[in-house]
């Protein structure tokens, strides 16, 4: 992702990369290590994305958003809104009401976070992206202050009655994200 972004030119096509990660805690650029509350033997990796600490693991969909923001005439805040809206619309398509919380990027169902965002923009190119909890082991989140918020509850689509596999959720979210990005480019 970093190499792809560094090698981009004005003619490089935008891409969305969908994946799952092995268990890992990631700490954003300004992240504070004290948000890791206990050692579960899960690696902690420092990242150049925004945000604090989060957990990634099997059953969670991660979509890296590799865009030329200048070409799309898109500001960072609009990109964040597009990503959040794509998650909100995916959940709404399955009858789940989700929302944004002021001052806390991501998507929430009630008080519980279902999707986290962390971005980096270099030379007007975005990378990193969004993680959506689909069907995963949530207990590692208890070892951190998710996104730097003590006691923040997390949830996943399976527990919300959405029975998509991670692969199905990735494809659906990528489609919603593509629609949001095209709408905001016009």
């Amino acid at each position: 992702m970093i190499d792809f972004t560094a090698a981009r030119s004005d003619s490089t096509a935008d891409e969305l990369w969908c994946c799952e990660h092995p268990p890992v805690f990631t700490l954003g650029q300004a992240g504070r290590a004290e948000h890791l509350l206990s050692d579960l033997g899960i690696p902690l990796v420092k990242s150049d994305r925004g945000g604090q600490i989060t957990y990634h693991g099997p059953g969670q969909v991660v979509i890296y958003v590799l865009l030329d923001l200048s070409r799309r005439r898109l500001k960072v805040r609009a990109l964040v809104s597009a990503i959040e809206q794509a998650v909100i619309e995916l959940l709404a398509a399955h009858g789940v009401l989700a929302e944004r919380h002021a001052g806390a990027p991501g998507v929430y169902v009630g008080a519980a976070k279902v999707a986290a965002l962390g971005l980096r923009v270099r030379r007007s190119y975005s990378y990193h992206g969004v993680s959506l909890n689909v069907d995963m082991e949530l207990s590692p989140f208890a070892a951190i202050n998710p996104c730097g918020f003590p006691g923040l509850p997390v949830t996943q689509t399976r527990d919300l009655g959405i029975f998509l596999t991670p692969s199905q959720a990735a494809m659906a979210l990528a489609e919603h994200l593509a629609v949001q990005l095209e709408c905001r480019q016009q």
Side-chain angles (χ1 to χ4, degrees), residues 2 16 27 44 67 94-95 133 141 161 167 175 177 179 185:
I2 292 169
L16 300 176
L27 190 62
L44 174 66
L67 305 176
H94 293 274
N133 302 334
F141 284 103
S167 179
E175 289 172 11
L177 188 51
V179 168
Q185 186 174 356

Side-chain angles (χ1 to χ4, degrees), residues 114-137:
V114 68
L117 278 81
L119 296 171
R120 175 72 190 249
V121 176
R122 182 174 289 151
R123 297 182 306 126
S124 194
Y125 301 131
S126 68
Y127 61 106
H128 291 291
V130 60
S131 60
L132 174 66
N133 302 334
V134 176
D135 187 3
M136 64 186 297
E137 177 58 51

Side-chain angles (χ1 to χ4, degrees), residues 30-51:
R32 298 193 334 246
E34 63 262 24
H35 289 300
L36 178 61
L37 306 175
S38 58
D39 183 357
L40 301 180
I42 295 173
L44 174 66
V45 175
K46 291 185 179 181
S47 172
D48 68 342
R49 66 163 171 75

